[in-house]
């Protein structure tokens, strides 16, 4: 195998096959190319069977890309190779070994929405008002436990004990798990903890998979949670041929359970691990990558890499100070128009923002310029009501214990099975310890035994039709009829298609189009599978909800959150709203250094998506939550050395404001192409700020001395007189909020 296309570090990462290896792959360093070459090397040079290699990552897109590259690069048949996602791998193993955990192989995988429905039902059962305890709070608690690798029956460790201190939430978790088990279902977190439970309870099963997979590779390792870490650690024993590829500087998903300790402490778990750093960047210009490296160097929690590139110096980063958020959007619209007029395709341009809410003004500006755009990761196809309804019909067919799915569609379209009738059925199912579908089957078979339920003729007829339809489709499935045939039968004979056709509105037409698209998805699935079934289709779309929305490239500007940009690259990137309280976020400033370091990693990710040119914009005043906020430029801008950027001011009004006397930007090191540090404000912003300034003892921008924290600058002021509160940013980056009448403050 010729490895001359790799640089020396990449080559070392490929041939160092035995024992634990951690590859620290910086942004744009050819990570996927290296990982694919390593797998190819194992197959061709080490003669490892594809059956003995397991490569896991986080997205179906990444696993497909790796598999496609391998199929092109090697002559060996990679059909048996396990290149998959964590959740898909766990789902496959659990279906093979389901009986060990008291599940049947056709168990349902509940998505987040369905898990929420169970939680809401449990809260109602306990008489807990959802305003008192939000279902989202309970869901976050359950996710937190499962991210730590906890399952019912496991001895609690120190991390889990902190969660279990809230007995009410822990008891709801136990009820939730029992309800899942009764429904022959697992949630996403349960796929991982189910494997941990399986391996811990049945050592012979663990040994079987340890012998099966001689080499374990993990991509995007910085995104793993503790449960995933425990699973791959167990799988890699006793051979310990584990290779993890990741970048601690791109660990940005702690809110989703990712644990940066997995990458920082890898060598503590594997003391003999070989550490290889991929530090050459192939993506960005020299000025962009060096500026980003200077920013991330301010973090303490990192292994330490020094990124470099042989690419051209490129243009300076443009830091643009705008009057307000509308001016910011106007500026970006003009720059996109200029780039497009110069021949740059719209698909080469992307706008990143910290929060989804900040896309609105950009969308308005692009519509004004008549530029097409897409909001990446907007409303997902499989989250639309009509699609979830038809998927629920399919789920009842493949798993008659799935009471949640049946509850969704038993009266959709309306059949007269209202809330009262449904409650009767649910109570009876609980009394008899049956699933809801098992109960209505019994009612259809022996109606005389259930006269005490006093069901109306309309309800009885509806139940009868539902049972017969599901049973007929189950017969089709047992005779290997195509999933598309089953789907068409369900759509027509359930009355759902007729119900939507009766709606002559635009929304009704759109819903019909979505169900037509769902049929396309089922048929595309059939074409890609040797033995297509409804079970496999449902698993595929549950684990990969991007199948329909991907693959339609158009020349349009991409809008997305910075989180959504990870793994992508664009020649031209606009990074907007780079202000204190926004980026870094208000919450991170309250939490402290650990959270701010993750925000800095997020900023680093955003910067390193840009290939040719990067614009970073902020607004002097921004409309947030219905009021005008003056946040000041982000502290991260101060961490970019001035030699890498040009600081500009964008003016939309001919009026030059005299607001400079109140400016909160004076202390920031600027290299401005404008005239000094003058700021340009519209009349409305100026008058609002002037009114605030005249009433406040410590207006925004005031320089103060605190007896404990030293010198600082007032970022925000609210309230008047004895009730005035101020938020102060101190020289060392600490941000504090004080009640003025109690704080030892002195104006400077």
């Amino acid at each position: 195998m010729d490895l001359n296309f790799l640089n020396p570090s990449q080559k070392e990462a490929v041939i160092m096959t035995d024992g634990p290896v951690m590859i620290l792959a910086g942004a744009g360093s050819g990570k996927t190319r290296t990982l694919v070459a390593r797998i190819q090397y194992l197959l061709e040079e080490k003669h490892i069977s594809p059956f003995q290699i397991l490569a896991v990552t986080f997205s179906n897109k990444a696993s497909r890309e790796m598999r496609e590259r391998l199929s092109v690069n090697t002559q060996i048949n990679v059909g048996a190779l396990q290149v998959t996602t964590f959740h898909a791998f766990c789902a496959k193993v659990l279906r093979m070994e389901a009986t060990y955990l008291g599940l049947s192989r056709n168990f349902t995988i509940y998505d987040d929405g369905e898990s929420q429905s169970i939680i809401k039902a449990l809260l109602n059962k306990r008489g807990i008002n959802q305003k008192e305890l939000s279902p989202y709070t309970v869901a976050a608690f359950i996710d937190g436990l499962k991210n730590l690798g906890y399952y019912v029956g496991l001895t609690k460790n120190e991390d889990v004990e902190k969660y279990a201190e809230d007995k009410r939430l822990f008891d709801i978790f136990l009820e939730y798990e029992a309800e899942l088990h009764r429904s022959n279902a697992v949630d996403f977190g349960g796929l991982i903890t189910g494997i941990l439970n399986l391996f811990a309870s049945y050592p012979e099963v663990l040994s079987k998979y340890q012998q099966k997979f001689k080499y374990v590779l993990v991509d995007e390792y910085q995104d793993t949670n503790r449960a995933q870490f425990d699973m791959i650690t167990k799988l890699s024993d006793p051979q310990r041929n584990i290779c993890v590829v990741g970048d601690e500087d791109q660990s940005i998903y702690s809110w989703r359970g990712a644990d940066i300790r997995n990458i920082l402490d890898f060598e503590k778990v594997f003391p003999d691990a070989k550490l290889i750093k991929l530090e050459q960047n192939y993506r960005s210009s020299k000025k962009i990558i060096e500026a980003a490296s200077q920013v991330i160097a301010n973090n303490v929690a990192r292994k330490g890499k020094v990124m470099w590139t042989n690419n051209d110096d490129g243009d300076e980063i443009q830091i643009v100070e705008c009057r307000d958020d509308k001016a910011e959007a106007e500026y970006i619209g003009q720059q996109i128009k200029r780039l497009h007029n110069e021949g740059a395709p719209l698909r080469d341009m992307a706008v990143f923002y910290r929060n989804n809410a900040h896309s609105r003004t950009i969308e308005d500006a692009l519509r004004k310029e008549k530029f097409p755009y897409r909001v990446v990761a907007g409303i997902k196809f499989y989250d639309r009501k009509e699609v979830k309804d038809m998927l629920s019909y399919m789920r009842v067919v493949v798993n008659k214990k799935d009471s949640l799915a049946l509850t969704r569609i038993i009266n959709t379209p309306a059949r007269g099975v209202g809330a009262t009738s449904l409650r009767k059925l649910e109570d009876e199912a609980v009394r008899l310890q049956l699933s809801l579908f098992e109960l209505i089957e019994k009612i259809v078979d022996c109606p005389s035994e259930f006269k005490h339920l006093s069901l109306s003729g309309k309800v009885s007829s509806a139940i009868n039709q539902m049972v017969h339809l599901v049973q007929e489709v189950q017969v089709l499935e047992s005779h290997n009829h195509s999933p598309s045939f089953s789907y068409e039968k369900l759509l027509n004979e359930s009355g759902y298609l007729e119900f939507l056709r009766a709606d002559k509105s635009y929304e009704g037409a759109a819903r019909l189009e979505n169900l037509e698209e769902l049929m396309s998805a089922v048929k595309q699935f059939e074409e890609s599978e040797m033995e297509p079934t409804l079970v496999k289709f449902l698993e595929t779309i549950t684990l990969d909800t991007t199948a329909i929305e991907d693959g339609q490239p158009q020349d349009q500007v991409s809008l997305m959150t910075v989180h959504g940009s990870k793994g992508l690259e664009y020649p031209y990137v606009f990074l907007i709203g780079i202000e204190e309280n926004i980026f870094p976020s208000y919450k991170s400033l309250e939490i402290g250094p650990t959270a701010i370091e993750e925000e800095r990693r997020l900023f680093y990710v955003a910067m390193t998506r840009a290939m040719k040119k990067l614009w970073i914009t902020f607004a002097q005043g921004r409309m947030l939550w219905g009021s005008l906020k003056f946040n000041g430029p982000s502290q991260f801008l101060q961490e970019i050395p001035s030699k890498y950027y040009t600081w500009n001011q964008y003016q939309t009004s001919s009026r030059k404001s005299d607001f400079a006397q109140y400016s909160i930007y004076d202390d920031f090191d600027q290299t401005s192409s404008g005239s000094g540090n003058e700021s340009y404000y519209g009349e409305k912003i100026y008058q609002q700020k002037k009114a605030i300034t005249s009433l406040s003892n410590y207006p925004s921008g005031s320089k103060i001395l605190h007896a404990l924290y030293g010198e600082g600058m007032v970022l925000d002021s609210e309230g008047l007189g004895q009730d005035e509160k101020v938020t102060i940013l101190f020289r060392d980056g600490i941000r504090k909020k004080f009640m003025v009448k109690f704080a030892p403050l002195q104006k400077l």
Side-chain angles (χ1 to χ4, degrees):
M1 177 181 173
D2 185 6
L3 297 178
N4 289 329
F5 67 97
L6 300 172
N7 67 38
S9 296
Q10 292 172 335
K11 192 178 297 185
E12 184 184 12
V14 167
I15 65 177
M16 191 69 62
T17 56
D18 294 334
V21 177
M22 179 160 67
I23 303 171
L24 289 181
S29 62
K31 169 180 68 73
T32 303
R33 174 175 56 186
T34 305
L35 192 55
V36 168
R38 182 182 174 91
I39 297 172
Q40 186 181 349
Y41 186 84
L42 286 170
L43 293 169
E44 295 182 357
E45 299 299 322
K46 301 285 287 186
H47 305 294
I48 304 300
S49 166
F51 288 96
Q52 295 180 313
I53 299 173
L54 172 65
V56 288
T57 186
F58 281 86
S59 72
N60 286 279
K61 180 181 177 183
S63 63
R64 281 195 298 267
E65 183 183 352
M66 277 198 284
R67 184 176 287 279
E68 287 166 3
R69 288 199 194 186
L70 279 166
S71 63
V72 171
N73 293 341
T74 183
Q75 299 302 311
I76 294 175
N77 185 355
V78 297
L81 191 67
Q82 285 287 302
V83 181
T84 183
T85 65
F86 274 100
H87 289 106
F89 170 74
C90 291
K92 184 174 182 178
V93 172
L94 282 182
R95 290 207 189 279
M96 294 293 294
E97 316 294 347
T99 52
Y100 282 99
L101 298 180
L103 296 168
S104 67
R105 290 190 175 186
N106 63 339
F107 64 80
T108 301
I109 302 171
Y110 280 174
D111 63 18
D112 292 340
E114 289 146 355
S115 295
Q116 287 274 343
S117 296
I118 293 176
I119 291 168
K120 290 174 183 176
L122 291 176
L123 292 177
N124 288 336
K125 179 181 173 183
R126 284 171 163 254
I128 298 174
N129 191 311
Q130 291 184 22
K131 292 181 179 179
E132 174 195 348
L133 180 60
S134 165
Y136 295 102
T137 301
V138 180
F141 177 87
I142 293 171
D143 285 343
L145 276 175
K146 294 190 175 186
N147 288 337
L148 291 170
Y150 183 76
Y151 52 86
V152 179
L154 179 67
T155 302
K156 298 171 189 172
N157 59 30
E158 184 179 340
D159 289 334
V160 172
E161 287 287 359
K162 294 176 183 176
Y163 273 87
E165 286 174 2
D166 192 322
K167 190 174 185 307
R168 181 169 69 162
L169 283 175
F170 192 77
D171 286 346
I172 294 173
F173 161 73
L174 296 177
E175 282 190 61
Y176 170 83
E177 289 296 284
E179 180 61 32
L180 283 181
H181 197 74
R182 277 194 295 271
S183 297
N184 189 36
V186 297
D187 59 14
F188 279 109
L191 290 171
I192 311 291
T193 57
I195 293 294
L196 293 178
N197 188 1
L198 180 68
F199 287 171
S201 303
Y202 303 96
E204 68 276 16
V205 177
L206 171 60
S207 179
K208 179 173 76 171
Y209 285 96
Q210 287 173 337
Q211 293 302 312
K212 177 178 174 61
F213 298 115
K214 303 292 187 185
Y215 289 85
V216 178
L217 301 93
V218 184
D219 190 20
E220 302 290 0
Y221 181 63
Q222 75 280 345
D223 294 337
T224 54
N225 59 36
R226 218 59 184 176
Q228 290 159 338
F229 172 76
D230 289 345
M231 185 189 80
I232 60 175
T233 301
K234 285 182 171 64
L235 270 176
S236 63
D237 277 343
Q239 291 92 351
R240 301 174 80 252
N241 294 328
I242 180 172
C243 174
V244 299
V245 185
D247 182 6
E248 81 280 15
D249 292 334
Q250 297 186 71
S251 179
I252 59 174
Y253 294 117
S254 67
W255 50 275
R256 211 163 62 185
D259 195 332
I260 196 173
R261 293 178 299 175
N262 293 350
I263 200 166
L264 296 177
D265 297 344
F266 185 79
E267 291 149 301
K268 292 180 181 178
V269 179
F270 299 98
D272 57 335
K274 175 68 176 177
L275 178 64
I276 302 169
K277 298 180 182 180
L278 305 185
E279 297 173 303
Q280 183 176 357
N281 177 280
Y282 293 92
R283 175 189 297 148
S284 305
S285 69
K286 191 170 291 184
K287 286 185 177 177
I288 290 173
I289 199 62
E290 289 182 0
S293 295
Q294 290 287 325
V295 171
I296 200 62
N298 288 280
N299 271 8
V300 174
R302 62 193 303 259
K303 305 291 287 187
K305 296 183 304 300
V306 180
M307 297 302 295
W308 60 277
T309 185
N310 281 329
N311 293 341
D312 294 338
D313 282 356
D315 294 335
E316 291 180 330
I317 297 169
Q318 300 296 306
I319 297 178
V320 184
E321 176 182 350
C322 301
R323 182 189 64 199
D324 55 24
D325 46 346
K326 288 186 178 179
E328 178 184 60
E330 180 182 282
Y331 172 78
I332 290 170
Q334 290 179 3
Q335 292 303 306
I336 289 174
K337 184 176 183 179
R338 179 183 62 78
L339 287 170
H340 194 53
N341 289 341
E342 292 173 357
L346 294 177
R347 62 177 171 272
D348 285 354
M349 308 174 206
V351 183
F352 301 158
Y353 33 81
R354 181 63 181 82
N355 301 310
N356 272 310
H358 296 147
S359 74
R360 181 184 60 82
T361 54
I362 304 298
E363 291 185 57
D364 290 345
L366 292 176
R367 280 195 295 267
K368 182 179 178 182
E369 297 289 350
K370 295 184 170 55
F371 284 134
Y373 65 90
R374 63 179 185 135
V375 179
V376 178
I379 298 175
K380 292 183 172 60
F381 178 82
Y382 291 106
D383 286 340
R384 295 167 188 168
K385 181 186 182 302
E386 61 277 5
V387 174
K388 287 185 78 72
D389 287 343
M390 287 312 302
L391 292 178
S392 293
Y393 274 101
M394 297 184 212
R395 283 170 46 178
V396 173
V397 168
V398 303
N399 179 12
K400 65 182 182 181
K401 288 187 176 182
D402 193 341
S403 299
L404 195 62
L406 182 56
T407 300
R408 181 183 182 95
I409 50 108
I410 197 169
N411 201 43
T412 305
R415 301 183 177 92
V417 187
T420 302
S421 299
L422 183 57
R423 194 174 298 112
K424 286 181 184 178
L425 295 171
E426 288 173 335
D427 290 344
E428 186 70 0
V430 170
R431 187 180 71 83
L432 297 176
Q433 294 187 323
L434 298 170
S435 72
L436 192 56
F437 190 82
E438 288 169 336
L439 173 69
I440 65 174
E441 274 185 318
K442 283 186 173 294
I443 293 174
V444 169
D445 290 339
C446 305
S448 60
E449 293 182 14
F450 297 90
K451 286 183 178 179
H452 60 282
L453 295 179
S454 302
L455 299 175
S456 69
K458 187 175 182 180
V459 170
S460 297
S461 175
I463 288 173
N464 214 301
Q465 291 173 9
M466 172 70 73
V467 168
H468 288 150
L469 174 60
V470 170
Q471 289 176 340
E472 286 169 15
V473 179
Q474 286 173 336
V475 170
L476 293 176
E477 277 289 282
S478 68
H479 287 80
N480 298 321
H481 280 268
S482 67
S484 59
F485 187 84
S486 297
Y487 168 76
E488 192 170 11
K489 181 178 177 69
L490 288 168
L491 181 60
N492 283 279
E493 296 185 20
S494 65
Y496 201 77
L497 184 62
E498 183 180 353
F499 164 70
L500 288 182
R501 282 177 175 165
D503 183 357
K504 302 299 182 183
S505 68
Y506 174 83
E507 290 77 15
R511 292 189 184 104
L512 284 171
E513 289 173 0
N514 288 335
L515 293 183
E516 289 173 4
E517 189 64 23
L518 182 56
M519 172 63 88
S520 299
V522 176
K523 289 187 173 179
Q524 287 169 3
F525 163 78
E526 289 173 357
E527 292 169 3
S528 65
E529 280 285 325
M530 293 290 291
E531 297 178 358
T533 64
L534 280 181
V535 171
K536 287 183 181 177
F537 172 72
L538 290 170
E539 181 171 305
T540 299
I541 60 95
T542 304
L543 297 176
D544 181 11
T545 57
T546 63
I548 287 180
E549 294 174 335
D550 288 345
Q552 295 183 354
Q554 295 181 23
D555 193 27
Q556 52 191 341
V557 182
S558 296
L559 312 183
M560 69 194 78
T561 64
V562 180
H563 280 101
S565 75
K566 188 170 176 290
L568 304 177
E569 59 184 28
Y570 295 90
Y572 308 100
V573 168
F574 298 87
L575 184 52
I576 73 167
I578 310 306
E579 300 149 29
E580 286 295 292
N581 297 316
I582 295 176
F583 204 168
S585 68
Y586 180 84
K587 285 185 179 179
S588 70
L589 290 166
E590 279 196 334
I591 294 170
T594 301
I596 292 175
E597 286 209 353
E598 178 155 336
E599 291 285 302
R600 187 177 286 108
R601 292 194 292 269
L602 191 58
F603 188 67
Y604 170 79
V605 165
M607 293 182 72
T608 55
R609 301 310 94 194
M611 300 166 70
K612 293 182 179 179
K613 193 156 185 175
L614 173 63
W615 288 261
I616 302 176
T617 65
F618 72 92
Q620 296 169 333
R622 184 177 299 274
M623 190 64 68
L624 294 170
W625 306 290
S627 61
L628 195 62
K629 300 290 183 182
F630 301 88
N631 291 310
S634 168
Q635 59 187 272
F636 299 151
L637 296 185
Q638 290 303 294
E639 297 170 0
I640 304 175
S642 59
K643 65 180 179 179
Y644 295 119
Y645 66 78
T646 299
W647 188 296
N648 301 296
Q649 292 174 325
Y650 177 65
Q651 180 182 10
T652 59
S653 170
S654 58
R655 174 183 172 84
K656 185 176 177 180
S657 170
D658 57 356
F659 181 73
Q661 62 181 308
Y662 303 118
S663 179
I664 62 177
Y665 309 103
D666 293 343
D667 285 348
F668 285 82
D669 177 22
Q670 302 179 13
T671 304
S672 175
S673 62
S675 53
N677 284 330
E678 293 172 322
S679 300
Y680 296 92
Y681 275 69
E683 180 65 24
K684 183 176 180 181
I685 295 177
Y686 168 64
Q687 293 296 343
Q688 287 184 6
K689 188 64 181 177
K690 188 174 180 181
I692 294 170
T693 301
S694 63
L695 294 172
S696 171
N697 289 319
Y698 294 91
S700 297
S702 299
K703 296 176 184 178
I704 59 88
L705 179 67
H706 187 281
L708 178 60
Y709 296 103
E711 291 186 10
M713 181 173 64
V714 177
L715 293 181
D716 192 27
S717 175
E718 56 186 83
L720 300 173
Q722 293 294 303
D723 296 324
E724 185 175 1
K725 298 175 185 176
V726 291
T727 303
I728 300 171
L729 178 67
F730 293 95
R731 290 287 183 184
D732 57 1
I734 294 176
R735 176 182 173 280
K736 293 284 185 180
K737 193 170 187 176
F738 301 100
M739 180 75 81
V740 167
K741 65 181 177 182
F742 299 125
L745 299 177
Q746 177 185 342
K747 278 187 179 180
L748 294 178

